[in-house]
Amino acid sequence: PPERATPSCGLPSSLQQNQVREQKVYTVLGELRVRLDERKDHYWADIPALSSTVRVSQTVLRDWQNLLLGPGAWGSMEIEYDASYTLGGGIYPFYVREFRPFQITRISLDDYVAKRALFSHRQWRDLIVESIGFNPAQFTDRESWLYLLRLAPFVEANYNSIELGPRETGKTYTYRNTSSRSFVVSGGMASPATLFYNVATRKIGILGQKDVVYFDEIGSTRFTSPEATISVLKDYMQTGKFSRGGVEFSAQASIVLGGNIECDLARGEPARYYLHLFMPLPTELQDPAFLDRIHAYLPGWELPKIQRENYATGYGFMTDYLAEIFTRLRRRNFQIHVTSKVEFRGMTGRNQDAIVKTATALLKILYPHRTPESLLRSELAPSLDLAIECRQRVLDQLRTMAPAEFAGPPLREQVEFEPEAS
């Protein structure tokens, strides 16, 4: 058998192709993705390190089916060179015959859910906070809950939230590093082609590709064709659908608006010269119809600035593992956990949806092992309280902007627990 080369990583693709050709079998360290070519009824491996069309063995496909999902996986792979292989008149000499992943590629949500029952509420909450890069020992209970609320868009599809707060509280850090399925739109220009669909190239935008789209530095973000963009965005935030070029698309991306607001740090609240807490947003976003589609306003001014001692020091879930778990939790409907135990009296549908979606997301994060029957009222109540508070904050600002349209009793007065079954 040919002598195997030492693993390579970071070499130019042409050099790696030459190494494989000359040595016949070569070990490459890198990213591997697999796709089905339905026209040729054939699976191909995409290996950025080789920049070439590569065949893949059935053994690799059978053992690592997650290579067919989204971003694939990183690992070491044995590449074989066989110039005698042809398909449809073309020669395809490169062949992945073995793959050993670095990342976790076999994930069981059922196993994750079952293991949750082995932890107390506090242990599990601290584990999740540790897993997203922070040290829970440095935070109060309230602060830990707000960190969990940041994760709501990762586990609940079509969830819309906003967080404005001081600089350096870890907003961008969380949304950039928690999952590869999130996308950070940095302050700048955002166009319909980028967000929704590029009619010229016929490519779907980031809302159709990602689980979470985070608009960073939202105060300095500018939208090309603002009226058209905001109109489509409003429709999407309400229905999960958007139309471009005469074609309608459905997507599940959650939208998060993040940015800075001047704060009185001594008081732990926004500066008092703001007429309302949406003032830092661009003018085109200060539209009550748009803002009413936000499910929760997270009070970022209550979270501390990140210092060295705030970063995680203990063990947590691996990032790629937790990101995949969060994606799978999106497919589970926990709304019955809330609606079966809570009665909404005289509340508008939009307010009810906002509260249910926020409470549902927190329950997925904290109590994924609970059924509607086994969920305790004491477990639901804190999530429900935070959901009501964060939706009420949205309504309070809208009431300042349009008093006649958003008048009404406090949301807490319209929510009651159903009587316990005897």
Side-chain angles (χ1 to χ4, degrees):
E3 183 176 336
R4 295 185 181 180
T6 55
S8 68
C9 185
L11 299 176
S13 59
S14 57
L15 178 58
Q16 293 209 21
Q17 290 174 358
N18 178 70
Q19 296 278 21
V20 177
R21 181 181 183 276
E22 294 301 317
Q23 303 199 35
K24 304 305 180 186
V25 176
Y26 196 68
T27 301
V28 173
L29 305 184
E31 183 182 11
L32 174 64
R33 297 186 296 268
V34 177
R35 58 183 170 84
L36 172 64
D37 183 347
E38 65 273 13
R39 290 175 298 178
K40 295 183 178 180
D41 191 26
H42 203 279
Y43 287 99
W44 300 108
D46 291 327
I47 306 174
L50 287 180
S51 296
S52 180
T53 301
V54 182
R55 294 177 289 122
V56 59
S57 77
Q58 289 297 317
T59 301
V60 171
L61 288 173
R62 184 189 67 238
D63 292 345
W64 312 108
Q65 293 183 11
N66 275 28
L67 294 173
L68 291 162
L69 301 175
W74 282 76
S76 65
M77 61 201 87
E78 287 188 359
I79 311 296
E80 183 179 285
Y81 189 87
D82 178 8
S84 66
Y85 186 89
T86 62
L87 179 67
I91 299 175
Y92 300 95
F94 298 102
Y95 178 67
V96 179
R97 71 179 194 183
E98 190 174 325
F99 178 69
R100 293 177 292 275
F102 298 149
Q103 298 171 269
I104 297 172
T105 56
R106 289 174 177 164
I107 296 176
S108 168
L109 180 58
D110 290 337
D111 183 58
Y112 172 90
V113 169
K115 295 298 190 295
R116 164 61 184 93
L118 304 177
F119 293 77
S120 69
H121 162 80
R122 180 62 179 268
Q123 289 171 333
W124 188 258
R125 188 192 70 187
D126 288 354
L127 176 61
I128 298 297
V129 172
E130 192 92 43
S131 298
I132 61 172
F134 298 110
N135 181 0
Q138 297 294 320
F139 306 127
T140 64
D141 285 350
R142 168 72 171 180
E143 290 165 348
S144 292
W145 272 96
L146 294 180
Y147 279 115
L148 295 183
L149 184 56
R150 277 185 178 172
L151 301 179
F154 291 97
V155 300
E156 186 70 9
N158 300 113
Y159 182 80
N160 312 315
S161 66
I162 182 171
E163 178 183 352
L164 301 181
R167 297 161 185 82
E168 300 180 59
T169 57
K171 296 185 290 294
T172 307
Y173 173 88
T174 298
Y175 292 102
R176 178 169 282 143
N177 294 290
T178 297
S179 172
S180 62
R181 291 181 173 86
S182 64
F183 187 90
V184 175
V185 180
S186 298
M189 298 298 293
S191 68
T194 301
L195 296 175
F196 306 113
Y197 178 71
N198 190 316
V199 177
T201 62
R202 297 184 179 179
K203 289 186 177 180
I204 196 77
I206 56 176
L207 285 175
Q209 300 179 41
K210 298 293 183 177
D211 284 355
V212 180
V213 177
Y214 175 71
F215 289 87
D216 192 19
E217 303 292 348
I218 187 62
S220 59
T221 300
R222 294 295 175 264
F223 296 89
T224 59
S225 306
E227 289 187 7
T229 303
I230 303 306
S231 177
V232 176
L233 197 57
K234 279 194 293 190
D235 186 38
Y236 173 74
M237 291 170 71
Q238 180 65 30
T239 65
K241 298 178 181 180
F242 60 87
S243 299
R244 284 277 292 166
V247 183
E248 185 176 77
F249 301 88
S250 295
Q252 293 192 324
S254 294
I255 291 177
V256 183
L257 309 180
N260 301 322
I261 189 170
E262 297 300 323
C263 296
D264 183 338
L265 295 180
R267 294 177 176 270
E269 61 184 29
R272 295 188 173 183
Y273 55 74
Y274 289 110
L275 298 179
H276 55 77
L277 297 180
F278 289 127
M279 281 187 67
L281 298 181
T283 303
E284 55 265 31
L285 293 186
Q286 294 185 40
D287 172 6
F290 171 83
L291 298 173
D292 194 24
R293 287 160 166 79
I294 293 176
H295 299 124
Y297 191 136
L298 194 156
W301 51 87
E302 293 189 32
L303 288 171
K305 286 181 176 287
I306 300 300
Q307 301 174 348
R308 186 176 297 273
E309 58 269 22
N310 294 139
Y311 288 114
T313 58
Y315 293 103
F317 291 116
M318 291 177 61
T319 300
D320 61 302
Y321 172 81
L322 190 62
E324 181 61 28
I325 290 294
F326 282 171
T327 294
R328 297 189 185 192
L329 283 173
R330 287 176 137 240
R331 303 167 194 160
R332 295 203 170 179
N333 186 353
F334 267 47
Q335 294 198 9
I336 189 66
H337 290 60
V338 180
T339 57
S340 64
K341 297 181 181 295
V342 177
E343 183 179 355
F344 298 92
R345 295 185 172 179
M347 184 179 292
T348 67
R350 191 166 286 171
N351 288 335
Q352 182 174 330
D353 288 345
I355 292 170
V356 170
K357 286 178 77 72
T358 301
T360 292
L362 291 169
L363 292 177
K364 287 182 181 180
I365 295 168
L366 285 168
Y367 305 107
H369 62 307
R370 292 299 194 198
T371 64
E373 295 75 23
S374 67
L375 180 68
L376 303 177
R377 179 180 291 190
S378 60
E379 294 170 336
L380 171 58
S383 297
L384 187 64
D385 285 344
L386 186 55
I388 294 171
E389 173 204 322
C390 290
R391 176 58 183 175
Q392 185 70 61
R393 187 172 292 108
V394 173
L395 287 183
D396 289 345
Q397 313 319 307
L398 291 173
R399 192 167 294 147
T400 300
M401 300 169 71
E405 183 177 355
F406 294 97
L411 295 177
R412 289 189 187 278
E413 296 180 5
Q414 303 173 63
V415 180
E416 289 186 12
F417 276 104
E418 293 280 4
E420 293 278 12
S422 58

